[in-house]
Amino acid sequence: MKIEQVDEIKKGFFQALENEKIAGKVEYTWAGRSKFIIDHTEVDPDFKGQGIGKKLIKATVDFAKENKLKVIPLCPFAKSVIEKEPEFQKVLA
């Protein structure tokens, strides 16, 4: 499984690819230059139960850490995952 980021000017997303099929996606919106909002997390039904959503949130958090950014998790799934992982909470805005 490969996770890649696509960043546009105001929005972006991380997607998990399995044999070129999109297994899941985390969408975000920039809120200034130093933080972004996680808007939505989605996993294809064919890939449910494989931890893909959590892997995508981890990739998003790692991106924030590496770039000294803060995250606002409006997506209920993202918020839940971040709240359960003390290491992830360091990026909360």
Side-chain angles (χ1 to χ4, degrees), residues 1-77:
M1 175 139 331
K2 176 173 78 170
I3 295 180
E4 64 182 21
Q5 180 184 18
V6 176
D7 188 46
E8 299 163 353
I9 295 171
K10 295 187 180 197
K11 292 182 174 256
F13 59 89
F14 286 84
Q15 63 184 5
L17 297 167
E18 182 70 48
N19 297 324
E20 302 306 313
K21 181 176 181 183
I22 297 173
K25 185 185 271 191
V26 170
E27 299 172 357
Y28 62 86
T29 303
W30 286 102
R33 301 178 108 183
S34 63
K35 62 185 164 190
F36 60 92
I37 299 163
I38 299 175
D39 300 311
H40 182 68
T41 305
E42 185 174 333
V43 175
D44 183 295
D46 292 343
F47 295 92
K48 294 268 187 205
Q50 298 180 31
I52 291 170
K54 187 172 179 179
K55 289 175 187 172
L56 285 164
I57 298 300
K58 181 181 183 326
T60 307
V61 168
D62 289 346
F63 168 72
K65 285 180 183 177
E66 290 165 12
N67 293 282
K68 297 179 175 55
L69 301 169
K70 292 294 183 181
V71 174
I72 302 166
L74 292 186
C75 164
F77 176 79

